[in-house]
Amino acid sequence: MSIFWVVRQLAYIQESMATSKKVITKEEWERKLNDVKIRKEDMNKLVMNFLVTEGYVDAAEKFRSESGTEPDIDLATITDRMAVKKAVQCGNVEDAIEKVNDLNPEILDTNPQLFFHLQQQRLIELIRNGKIEEALEFAQEELAPRGEENQSFLEELERTVALLAFEDVSNCPVGELLDISQRLKTASEVNAAILTSQSHEKDPKLPSLLKMLIWAQNQLDEKASYPRINDLSSAKLEDPAI
Amino acid sequence: MPTSATNNRPEDLILRLSSPENQTKFKALRELKNQIIGNRTKKLTYVKFGVVVPAVVNSLSSSDSSVIIQASAVIGSFACGVDAGVKAVLDAGAFSLLLGLVSHSDAKVVDAAARSLKIIYQSKLAPKYDFLSKENMGFLISLLDSESENLTGLGATIITHSCQIIAEQKVLYEAGILKKLLDLLQGSLSQRDASLEALAAVSRNNPDVSSEFSEANDGRAFRVVCELMKDKHPRTRLLASMCLIALWNTSPCHLQDVGLRSKLIHILVELLDDPGQVGDEAPFALSSLIAGKEDLQKLAFEADVIDKMSKHLKKDPLPAKRLQGIFLALADVCSKLEVCRANLLSLEVLKLVAEALNHDCSEVRIAACMCLRSVSRSVKNLSAGMFMNDLIVIPLIKLLNDASTAVQIAALSALCNVVVEFTTRKSIFLQYGGVKQLVHLSTSMDSTVRLNAVRALKNLIFLAEKQLKGEIFLELSPATLWSLICDHESSVQEQAICFVRNLVDGCVDSIEYIFTEEAIILHAIVRLLRNTSSPEVCIQGMYVLANVATGNEFHKEAVLQQLLPPGGSDDPFVLIKLLQSNDNRLRTATVWTVVNLTFPSSPGAYGRLVKLRNAGVYTLIKNMANDSCLDVKLRVKTAWLQSVAFCDNST
């Protein structure tokens, strides 16, 4: 499992940062790496954290029964959260909003920005489906009052409504709103808000660990030549450049 | 599936809300919930349909748990962020029903009810919780001991909402609440936040609880809060900061660490960048941290707070709450230090302050006035006539007419500074009708308005030109001035007499004002000198006499006659009484009057000296040669030398 190598590498680099620039051979490096003790439970927790945060509920369930690692959140809530996320990703925004409100009615009442983005996504979907009249009515009824309450919402609303002005939306300056990436962005915003409402971190720890590894290796490059991990998926140690 | 237009009609929804069918009712409630969550406009619309909220509240008594849960959620949403909504659900009797549901057998019902109660308690309109009742305290403890986040959150929110006075803090402390709240700091994100707010409420202005808190678990609790100040969630950072500020404002000894103070300032400034509620509240926290504390204002200045807040002001239109907070924080940071004022003015913020004086929201107008008041304390800029111009004066005069008394008072307090200026621009104020307004407000029923109006007039007339003085006096009229001197509030009397002091200061012609209408003003002042117990009033009164005594023979004789009435009276002479005052300032003023009465170059001086000596004044003055106050000593010396000079000449 490559996560283990990553964590070990990172832990060791942090220890060796203090030494002056020198060449460290692969054998020497590996011997030192072997001295770094990483607890298996901690590794498992990292994995579980990733699965839970990203919403892989089946995998989390299996991982729990195989490794005995307890998730820090009720797995049932993941299913609900994933259903919301998936609804946004598929463009069923109204459905997603209803699901969030069933899950916890406070989320959208206390996150005006998220609520606006969901409503904006709803408008985008109406435009995408060619329901122009409905879109206009929706923008006027639901979104315009939010724009009055907040200047930046108003600007975003204007940008979105601009979609209606172009015949060929795929080539217009605000065309990116119709991209699938816009849905993903909105979906991940809802996902994060639900996680926060459940007092859970909104990002998994693993990606930040990888970022930290890259940063630490870059720092160490100035001080030593050593076996780097360049390919993060295999976490293979390269021979030190001399 | 989009619902069809006919189903969306409120009338139809109302009908379904009252349906005897649980399923229909459930659907209607859920639909209503999805319509109003996040949508202020819809909430207000439904609240106006008077029947909607009561119908929802009725559903709380349903036998079907799922109906109750939906109804609770709808009620919570109506109460979330909309005061009219809170009022509507309270009026419909939701409060006691929800409280009852907290003990329901279905955990989901309990959760939903607790969540909605918590939202209601976040509003000021919620009824105050009575901690002094044993039964209530038991319930509160059971909430805090619960496993459920919504219940512990409700418990903490009740404390934040209702714990205001020392007696309540004491009874909560004695019930062991402090420890329970500290335990909650270890809980989930929402529990931590709720606990931080409640901790601030139980320790604010209560030195006993504050020191218990700081020292709890060998200071570990305090360190936890310090750590939370660096938490990654902005709301937690804000609440931890506010908790520390509450502690610190109560007992400063717990926050000796200068590093911690500047860290607090930096964190709060950083939180200004938050686009939401946290960013709106951050400047208020900053304001409570630095208000009245010069050392912290200096730290804030060094942390570039003024620059950063000015940049925010220059951004797109800010929400009213944030504008208010920023102006208040700027007012505090500029309240004492000239460098701060110079900094703010150099950033060309004055124009934005002036604009905010016209803001729709009265709180923003008040905050802009406070900011202007602080900045206009700068003598240097006052002298340069920085504030006496159309930009500032026109909106300020307009605010004197404001429908809100609080705005009027704030505008007056800014004006008090603005009108103290030394160039010849004071007449601008008259031209724009400012004097008329001030005179009008000086007869207000509200004593604070009256006080500030007279204070502004007093400052306006200070070192004013002769013509302006005449016009102000005419506008005010001797009768109104007389009634202000006789006001039942001694603070108003003091300002009114000080107005007279400034009026008769300067050229001899001005002194004549005090003799108009058979000298009613002079008589009123002397009567106060005899009767009042307020040294402040006496000081101003005595300076009026001292100023009048600088005039011609007639003026001097009039003063002497007031101080030593020829017919004699039962009271000891007021002059003798005041020379023996305990107040240094009053003794100084009284001796000044004697000095002016006996100024050697005036023809009647000797005659007055004899009268004063016969009254025993010089026996007293001789004894004052070694007065503990240096000012008094100096004037006594002058008075004595003047009297000795006459004796030398006469022998």
Side-chain angles (χ1 to χ4, degrees):
Chain A
M1 171 173 258
S2 61
I3 302 174
F4 177 73
W5 311 121
V6 167
V7 175
R8 199 180 57 165
Q9 177 92 349
L10 181 58
Y12 181 60
I13 290 177
Q14 285 180 342
E15 259 173 53
S16 52
M17 284 288 281
T19 50
S20 59
K21 175 136 189 166
K22 56 178 183 184
V23 178
I24 306 164
T25 64
K26 204 168 167 180
E27 293 70 32
E28 199 183 341
W29 188 255
E30 280 190 327
R31 207 179 57 241
K32 296 243 167 105
L33 281 180
N34 284 334
D35 292 341
V36 180
K37 297 278 174 279
I38 306 284
R39 292 191 336 147
K40 186 151 173 82
E41 294 88 330
D42 292 339
M43 297 297 302
N44 288 344
K45 272 192 200 155
L46 263 180
V47 174
M48 183 56 100
N49 169 275
F50 180 80
L51 295 175
V52 163
T53 316
E54 291 295 312
Y56 298 114
V57 62
D58 293 342
E61 191 63 66
K62 280 222 169 63
F63 188 67
R64 166 160 73 176
S65 59
E66 281 174 18
S67 69
T69 310
E70 279 305 314
D72 50 2
I73 199 165
D74 181 3
L75 287 181
T77 65
I78 304 181
T79 318
D80 297 332
R81 175 162 54 91
M82 285 302 101
V84 174
K85 197 172 164 185
K86 200 162 164 213
V88 180
Q89 284 167 347
C90 302
N92 301 327
V93 189
E94 192 177 0
D95 184 34
I97 292 177
E98 289 178 5
K99 285 193 160 78
V100 178
N101 289 343
D102 282 338
L103 208 53
N104 179 346
E106 264 183 289
I107 296 178
L108 295 183
D109 245 341
T110 51
N111 274 305
Q113 179 155 340
L114 172 63
F115 182 66
F116 176 81
H117 285 154
L118 281 167
Q119 297 286 61
Q120 180 192 26
Q121 192 67 46
R122 241 175 114 177
L123 176 63
I124 293 171
E125 300 306 337
L126 287 173
I127 297 172
R128 189 197 316 276
N129 296 330
K131 296 180 177 165
I132 305 306
E133 227 165 282
E134 214 178 311
L136 277 173
E137 196 184 337
F138 181 74
Q140 221 162 14
E141 286 281 309
E142 298 284 336
L143 285 162
R146 306 288 85 71
E148 276 171 35
E149 287 158 15
N150 184 312
Q151 179 71 23
S152 66
F153 293 171
L154 187 63
E155 281 162 25
E156 280 190 70
L157 174 59
E158 283 166 356
R159 240 166 61 85
T160 316
V161 176
L163 282 174
L164 292 168
F166 296 92
E167 220 151 88
D168 178 11
V169 279
S170 56
N171 262 331
C172 80
V174 288
E176 84 240 19
L177 288 173
L178 287 171
D179 275 358
I180 212 72
S181 64
Q182 181 70 23
R183 279 186 184 172
L184 296 182
K185 207 168 104 188
T186 312
S188 110
E189 202 182 333
V190 190
N191 187 49
I194 299 175
L195 278 169
T196 307
S197 78
Q198 294 167 343
S199 292
H200 196 279
E201 299 297 331
K202 56 182 194 279
D203 300 308
K205 292 189 165 71
L206 210 46
S208 35
L209 215 59
L210 291 177
K211 283 186 203 151
M212 219 189 316
L213 175 71
I214 293 167
W215 178 85
Q217 289 195 142
N218 290 342
Q219 295 288 306
L220 189 58
D221 281 345
E222 291 170 19
K223 300 196 168 178
S225 186
Y226 62 95
R228 274 178 130 261
I229 290 179
N230 288 341
D231 180 358
L232 291 175
S233 58
S234 69
K236 182 172 163 288
L237 287 175
E238 308 286 337
D239 283 317
I242 301 170
Chain B
M1 283 290 288
T3 38
S4 70
T6 46
N7 268 357
N8 259 336
R9 277 178 40 221
E11 292 81 359
D12 173 71
L13 189 69
I14 293 165
L15 222 77
R16 286 186 291 133
L17 281 175
S18 323
S19 158
E21 286 286 315
N22 277 338
Q23 193 56 24
T24 316
K25 206 175 217 171
F26 170 83
K27 278 191 178 155
L29 284 166
R30 187 163 178 268
E31 199 183 309
L32 178 59
K33 177 184 78 175
N34 287 324
Q35 280 193 40
I36 62 170
I37 285 183
N39 195 328
R40 227 186 120 79
T41 343
K42 282 244 171 77
K43 287 180 195 179
L44 289 171
T45 313
Y46 279 114
V47 166
K48 277 189 196 134
F49 271 102
V51 289
V52 175
V53 175
V56 176
V57 172
N58 265 339
S59 311
L60 286 177
S61 314
S62 165
S63 56
D64 184 337
S65 287
S66 57
V67 168
I68 303 178
I69 292 170
Q70 292 302 323
S72 300
V74 173
I75 290 167
S77 183
F78 270 125
C80 189
V82 182
D83 276 347
V86 180
K87 194 169 173 307
V89 300
L90 290 175
D91 288 350
F95 197 75
S96 53
L97 288 173
L98 285 170
L99 267 177
L101 289 172
V102 172
S103 321
H104 199 272
S105 56
D106 184 335
K108 284 192 173 154
V109 171
V110 174
D111 246 18
R115 197 199 304 275
S116 296
L117 273 174
K118 187 181 73 185
I119 295 173
I120 294 173
Y121 267 116
Q122 282 164 354
S123 159
K124 285 199 180 73
L125 299 176
K128 201 165 143 60
Y129 194 83
D130 180 14
F131 298 113
L132 304 177
S133 128
K134 261 212 176 96
E135 197 186 328
N136 277 355
M137 187 60 91
F139 179 67
L140 180 66
I141 291 174
S142 75
L143 289 177
L144 291 173
D145 283 343
S146 151
E147 294 285 315
S148 148
E149 270 193 36
N150 282 324
L151 289 181
T152 49
L154 171 61
T157 310
I158 289 176
I159 296 175
T160 307
H161 173 273
S162 292
C163 176
Q164 286 153 353
I165 56 170
I166 301 262
E168 290 159 348
Q169 292 170 328
K170 193 159 167 266
V171 63
L172 282 169
Y173 174 70
E174 280 162 3
I177 298 291
L178 182 65
K179 189 175 173 311
K180 289 187 196 301
L181 290 175
L182 290 175
D183 289 345
L184 275 185
L185 282 181
Q186 316 290 335
S188 71
L189 178 69
S190 71
Q191 287 174 323
R192 241 171 33 189
D193 285 1
S195 159
L196 283 169
E197 271 192 283
L199 280 169
V202 293
S203 47
R204 187 171 290 126
N205 300 329
N206 187 327
D208 294 338
V209 180
S210 289
S211 54
E212 279 298 329
F213 177 5
S214 314
E215 284 149 25
N217 307 331
D218 296 323
R220 221 174 321 136
F222 181 73
R223 285 195 295 277
V224 169
V225 179
C226 290
E227 276 307 305
L228 289 177
M229 203 172 80
K230 295 177 249 165
D231 193 84
K232 70 175 127 188
H233 293 98
R235 176 128 202 102
T236 307
R237 289 207 294 278
L238 176 72
L239 294 175
S241 305
M242 287 166 63
C243 189
L244 286 175
I245 293 169
L247 268 187
W248 192 35
N249 285 346
T250 309
S251 28
C253 55
H254 297 302
L255 248 103
Q256 294 290 3
D257 181 2
V258 181
L260 189 57
R261 296 183 219 169
S262 46
K263 211 175 284 164
L264 261 176
I265 291 177
H266 280 287
I267 287 168
L268 291 174
V269 172
E270 212 180 83
L271 287 173
L272 274 175
D273 292 329
D274 183 282
Q277 210 189 348
V278 171
D280 292 347
E281 287 173 26
F284 289 91
L286 186 63
S287 154
S288 70
L289 174 65
I290 61 176
K293 303 184 202 93
E294 198 176 310
D295 50 342
L296 271 139
Q297 290 161 15
K298 187 152 176 284
L299 279 179
F301 169 71
E302 286 161 0
D304 265 345
V305 164
I306 300 175
D307 188 43
K308 283 173 189 151
M309 289 201 286
S310 305
K311 282 201 180 109
H312 277 281
L313 285 179
K314 287 172 189 166
K315 278 186 200 158
D316 294 331
L318 295 176
K321 173 109 190 192
R322 187 173 300 220
L323 265 182
Q324 182 201 359
I326 291 182
F327 281 126
L328 283 182
L330 283 174
D332 283 317
V333 79
C334 292
S335 65
K336 289 182 189 278
L337 295 170
E338 184 66 21
V339 277
C340 297
R341 294 173 201 140
N343 187 199
L344 187 65
L345 290 171
S346 73
L347 294 164
E348 292 174 5
V349 176
L350 201 55
K351 206 176 120 242
L352 301 172
V353 179
E355 274 169 23
L357 293 174
N358 290 318
H359 200 278
D360 288 339
C361 165
S362 64
E363 278 88 6
V364 174
R365 297 199 294 275
I366 292 174
C369 286
M370 309 286 269
C371 185
L372 189 58
R373 181 177 74 152
S374 284
V375 185
S376 58
R377 283 181 183 156
S378 164
V379 177
K380 193 173 124 189
N381 286 293
L382 272 177
S383 310
M386 178 71 116
F387 308 106
M388 190 55 93
N389 51 42
D390 297 4
L391 180 72
I392 303 287
V393 171
I394 293 177
L396 267 186
I397 291 177
K398 197 177 135 211
L399 290 187
L400 295 180
N401 248 333
D402 203 280
S404 144
T405 312
V407 174
Q408 289 181 323
I409 292 171
L412 282 169
S413 63
L415 261 181
C416 283
N417 289 343
V418 168
V419 296
V420 181
E421 69 115 62
F422 310 99
T423 61
T424 51
R425 295 225 193 112
K426 282 193 180 184
S427 51
I428 292 183
F429 192 72
L430 187 77
Q431 283 160 23
Y432 286 132
V435 175
K436 223 182 194 72
Q437 283 295 337
L438 286 181
V439 168
H440 174 66
L441 292 181
S442 71
T443 58
S444 161
M445 296 295 280
D446 185 313
S447 63
T448 318
V449 172
R450 224 160 49 232
L451 173 68
N452 282 290
V454 182
R455 181 180 283 147
L457 282 169
K458 169 201 90 178
N459 287 352
L460 180 66
I461 210 164
F462 176 63
L463 294 184
E465 288 170 318
K466 205 167 122 189
Q467 194 194 344
L468 185 63
K469 272 188 184 175
E471 284 171 78
I472 297 173
F473 186 69
L474 199 69
E475 187 70 53
L476 185 61
S477 84
T480 312
L481 183 55
W482 178 84
S483 69
L484 287 168
I485 292 169
C486 303
D487 199 278
H488 56 86
E489 296 279 340
S490 69
S491 53
V492 176
Q493 295 172 353
E494 182 195 351
Q495 295 303 321
I497 299 176
C498 190
F499 172 88
V500 180
R501 174 184 169 184
N502 290 345
L503 176 72
V504 299
D505 176 44
C507 78
V508 180
D509 293 353
S510 306
I511 296 176
E512 290 297 334
Y513 292 124
I514 205 170
F515 294 102
T516 48
E517 310 224 347
E518 295 167 2
I520 50 166
I521 294 166
L522 180 64
H523 291 140
I525 293 174
V526 174
R527 196 164 50 244
L528 274 177
L529 277 176
R530 288 211 181 92
N531 303 328
T532 183
S533 56
S534 153
E536 279 74 24
V537 169
C538 285
I539 292 165
Q540 297 307 331
M542 198 38 95
Y543 273 118
V544 169
L545 295 186
N547 281 352
V548 175
T550 60
N552 58 32
E553 281 303 300
F554 169 74
H555 300 145
K556 288 179 201 276
E557 283 301 329
V559 169
L560 188 73
Q561 201 169 10
Q562 291 298 328
L563 290 174
L564 307 172
S569 71
D570 296 342
D571 299 332
F573 292 131
V574 62
L575 188 62
I576 304 288
K577 186 182 89 179
L578 298 180
L579 274 175
Q580 292 169 314
S581 158
N582 290 327
D583 193 301
N584 294 340
R585 298 163 302 167
L586 183 50
R587 286 201 306 281
T588 312
T590 314
V591 184
W592 253 125
T593 309
V594 173
V595 168
N596 291 347
L597 284 174
T598 57
F599 195 68
S601 64
S602 54
Y606 184 66
R608 288 188 289 274
L609 178 83
V610 173
K611 282 185 192 154
L612 287 167
R613 187 185 291 152
N614 292 344
V617 169
Y618 282 94
T619 327
L620 274 176
I621 288 202
K622 196 176 171 188
N623 288 339
M624 290 163 78
N626 282 320
D627 197 280
S628 58
C629 169
L630 215 59
D631 267 350
V632 176
K633 212 167 142 180
L634 192 68
R635 299 308 148 216
V636 161
K637 200 174 161 192
T638 315
W640 187 251
L641 285 177
Q642 282 179 190
S643 79
V644 173
F646 274 116
C647 296
D648 290 350
N649 290 344
S650 59
T651 48

